[in-house]
Structures are given as structure tokens and as C-alpha cells.
Amino acid sequence: MLAIAAAALLYRLPEAGAEPERLPQAAFVRGSDLWLSIGGVEIQATAGDRAAAPTWSADGQFVAYAAGEQGDRICVYSVAGKQSFPVYDGGVNFKWAPAGNRLAFLSGGLLNVADITAAGAAPFRNVVGGVGNYSWQAGGSGFLVSTNAQLLPDGWTSVRLLEVPADANMDPSRAKPLFTLPKPSDNFFAVGTSPFRWSADRSRIAFIAHPTASLSADSNTLCVLSADGRDFRTPARMLNDYHWFQWAPRAGTLAFLEGEGRFVLEDRKRLGLTRFAAARRPDRTPPGTTERDFAWIDDRTIVVSRSAFAGKDVAPAERPLPALYRVPLPDGEQRQFTVPPPGSGDFAPTALGGGRTLAWVRTDRTRADAWIADADGAKARVFISGIGVGESYYERWNWDDALAWYDPPPLAPRQAR
């Protein structure tokens, strides 16, 4: 049964001549249950199922989430049907296709796809085996997958990248090799990769190559590969955080938070930028500060979550928490535009509505709220009160476990009557 926790209209009444405000849509975890915020109305979607990692389908009609104590039951909530249904018990790393309601997931290195309708999940199809990580290709025609390296008596094998059509049906002849990462050496060691991000023109692919777990906690290699597999570069060393490298919305600029060491406040993290047709730009992080998260607003503006840099002797409760700053590119005066109360910090900035709205998470380490504002920080207010916080890893939180924004397409113009 749905529980309405708060009520609001989908569009707030505008002033005369003004555009109606389009409220964002969100899925979030509160008290281990899945909730939705649609048009400002909060809806409890599950009860007692220990939900996590909500993810919206491309059309906003479904939310996939992990369920159960182990988080390996994949379920989907239907917004129209107002009910949840199971997809697979024992799966991980689920991702929606960029078009069409198809959900991919991994099970023991086997990549699978299930068609989703309001009536439930159709029987899933096996696509290809031996997968370490993957991402959907544009349009949902297929996948870019990576293998995991294997330790053999004569050393580690190399990680391979392959393109696989969605209807490969376990036929290995349909997997097309794209690139093989360098063999492990003193300068480069990778046993797997992150998911992949494409530049706006699809000409380059960015990803993280990570070594074994103990080494990966402190240092990984940011990689950029041309879409034809001919040009491979390693612009930075960084932590294994998929949110910490992002392409500009339309330009070919890659932004990333670089710096080795798992301690975000003790091992300084810097905002780096590179455009592959030009020289790398100097980092934009002022001395004495460290970056925590970031997001592109447009091709010339980045918002960072930034705090003071702390030493190793600072007690956990006294470690500085961040505020949000606007960083104009390529140069320009940086400006702090949020002022969290003492003991709280602002994380996970997210651009919505083509950069017109900014969303983020404010937390005091024990509770968290989701905030929204105009892109310049004006009209800042709490949008969702009381979302899950989860555990931090040396002052890094994975907010994807607790919150997912859905950014609806622009409204169609009204027809004159």
C-alpha cells in the first residue's frame, strides 16, 4: 500500500508570464525502504525489503533496486502499476538500457538482459560470459565489456575490452575485440575496469583501470581510449570512484578528481581537466583544500564539493565537511555558494533540467537531506528530508546507494485552443 508522506503539485503555480517550475523526480531509501518523490509527493514503495541502489529506467516508469540482507536480489518497482516484482535472485551491477525498458545485470560473470513491463519481468536472456564490467552502448544496441585479468603461473593476463551486441545469445564469434590494456608492469597494473563513459560526440571512452583490491584502495589509473581503439592514454592517477571522472555535456573536455591515497582529507584530491586536442590545463583546486565530488553544469562551469585539507591527527568528528563552489572554465573567480551549518556538509552535486537546477545531499554524517536550487544556488531548499546515509569509506559516501534523480525531458509546448 502506498503511503503519502507529503503533498505538492507537479508544477508550482507560476507568476503571470512565468514558466511553470518542473520539480525533479527522485527515488530514495529511507529507513531501509524504497520511496519515490514524484511531483513533490512522497510515496513509500516497499515495506521491510531492505532496499538499496535505486536506478530509474530511461522513461521514468520503473525503478530497479537491490533488495535483501545481501543486496543481491534485483527487483523493479512499477510507477504505473504501484507494485514491485522480482527480476533475479543473485544478480549484481544492474543497468537500464538507454532506450527501451531492458535491464542488464551480471551473475557470476555472465551478462544477462531482461525485458521489463508493468506486468513484470520477462525471462532473462544470456548475452555473454566472462564479463568483469560493462556499459550499454548508445541506443541500447549492445555493450562494451571488460574482462578480468587472471593470475597464471607465468604472470597476470591482460584486461581486454570487447564490443558485444545485445542479442549475442552466448555466441563468442559475435564479440568484437576493441582493445587490450597494457600487460601489468611497474608502471601499469590492472586486473579490471570501472564502467565506461563516452564523450558527447562518442569519439572517446573514459574508464578507470584498477589493480587488486588492496592496491586499488589507494591508486588506480584513469584511462581514455579512442572509440576506434587506436589511441590510448592515461591522464591521471586517482581513486576508484566512477563519479570522479565525467565528460562535459557537449564539449570534449574530461574532468576528474586526481590524487593517490584513500584518505580524502589527508591525501589531497585536485580537480583536473584535459581536452585531448590541446594541452592539459592546470588543476583548479586552491592550496589548502581538497575536492570531494563534482558535476558539470554546462561546458564552461563545474560545481565542486570542496572542504579544507585536514591532517592525519584530526579526530573523525572534527574533520572538515564540504560546501559547494562554482568553478568557471577555463579561468575565472571561484565562488562558494552554499553555507552548510556547523557540523554539516554538501556532497554529490547533480545538474538537472539541462543545467537549470542543481541538486545535492547535505549530511551531518548521521542523517541526510536532498536539496535543490537554481543553478546559481538561488532558492536553495530541502527537497527530501531524511534519506539514507550508509557507511563512509574514509569520508567518502556512495550516495547512489540511497538516492537517484530522474531528469524528465523538456515539456512539449502547449497547443493553442
Side-chain angles (χ1 to χ4, degrees), residues 2 27 196 211 221 253 256 374 388 393-394 400:
L2 303 181
F196 305 94
T221 304
T253 304
F256 47 88
D374 294 346
Y393 184 75
Y394 298 103
D400 284 353

Side-chain angles (χ1 to χ4, degrees), residues 234-252:
T234 55
R237 306 286 291 179
M238 61 183 295
L239 296 187
N240 189 11
D241 193 323
Y242 182 67
H243 299 90
W244 280 15
F245 66 99
Q246 298 177 35
W247 293 99
R250 295 178 181 83

Side-chain angles (χ1 to χ4, degrees), residues 52-381:
T55 306
W56 288 96
S57 61
D59 63 2
Q61 292 303 302
F62 299 97
V63 178
Y65 62 96
E69 292 296 325
Q70 303 302 317
D72 60 354
R73 273 198 300 115
I74 302 173
C75 297
V76 168
Y77 179 80
S78 168
V79 176
K82 301 179 180 179
Q83 64 178 348
S84 290
F85 48 83
V87 176
Y88 189 77
D89 190 354
V92 295
N93 200 2
F94 49 88
K95 298 184 178 80
W96 289 101
N101 291 318
R102 291 170 294 157
L103 187 67
F105 60 92
L106 289 177
S107 176
L110 186 62
L111 179 60
N112 310 281
V113 174
D115 294 317
I116 306 297
T117 70
F124 63 87
R125 305 179 301 278
N126 304 139
V127 179
V128 67
V131 176
N133 219 324
Y134 74 98
S135 290
W136 284 92
Q137 297 270 20
S141 60
F143 303 92
L144 178 59
V145 308
S146 64
T147 64
N148 286 332
Q150 302 295 320
L151 180 58
L152 303 179
D154 59 349
W156 288 93
T157 62
S158 295
V159 175
R160 301 174 64 207
L161 308 186
L162 304 99
E163 295 175 316
V164 181
D167 60 354
N169 196 30
M170 299 297 290
D171 181 353
S173 68
R174 301 195 65 192
K176 176 185 174 183
L178 177 65
F179 187 73
T180 300
L181 296 187
K183 280 188 171 294
S185 66
D186 292 341
N187 297 320
F188 184 92
F189 181 27
V191 301
T193 76
S194 70
F196 305 94
R197 293 190 188 275
W198 280 262
S199 58
D201 63 1
R202 311 292 295 185
S203 67
R204 293 186 182 272
I205 307 162
F207 59 96
I208 290 173
H210 63 80
T212 52
S214 59
L215 296 174
S216 179
D218 288 301
S219 183
N220 307 267
T221 304
L222 177 63
C223 303
V224 178
L225 178 69
S226 61
D228 60 9
R230 296 179 179 178
D231 182 20
F232 175 73
R233 308 187 190 190
T234 55
R237 306 286 291 179
M238 61 183 295
L239 296 187
N240 189 11
D241 193 323
Y242 182 67
H243 299 90
W244 280 15
F245 66 99
Q246 298 177 35
W247 293 99
R250 295 178 181 83
T253 304
L254 181 68
F256 47 88
L257 301 186
E258 63 179 320
E260 299 181 81
R262 69 189 70 182
F263 300 96
V264 175
L265 289 171
E266 300 167 13
D267 303 309
R268 187 166 171 259
K269 304 298 176 274
R270 305 171 302 279
L271 176 65
L273 300 161
T274 186
R275 186 178 177 89
F276 293 91
R280 178 174 163 178
R281 302 169 183 172
D283 73 66
R284 300 299 312 279
T285 303
T289 65
T290 186
E291 313 292 19
R292 315 290 289 271
D293 289 309
F294 79 95
W296 287 93
I297 300 301
D298 54 46
D299 288 339
R300 298 182 63 84
T301 310
I302 289 176
V303 166
V304 298
S305 169
R306 176 182 293 164
S307 69
F309 185 59
K312 296 183 182 296
D313 296 330
V314 178
E318 298 176 1
R319 291 171 182 165
L321 288 163
L324 300 185
Y325 292 73
R326 289 177 64 87
V327 181
L329 303 177
D331 298 302
E333 182 180 358
Q334 302 183 30
R335 180 175 65 85
Q336 179 180 346
F337 66 91
T338 69
V339 184
S344 294
D346 291 337
F347 292 85
T350 303
L352 303 170
R356 293 185 297 275
T357 300
L358 184 68
W360 67 91
V361 174
R362 176 168 290 178
T363 183
D364 62 4
R365 296 188 177 96
T366 59
R367 61 159 288 137
D369 301 323
W371 284 60
I372 61 171
D374 294 346
D376 60 0
K379 301 178 183 177
R381 69 266 194 196

Side-chain angles (χ1 to χ4, degrees), residues 19-36:
E19 290 287 331
E21 180 183 11
R22 189 78 182 267
L23 294 176
Q25 190 166 301
F28 60 98
V29 174
R30 176 187 286 154
S32 297
D33 290 317
L34 176 68
W35 290 68
L36 308 183

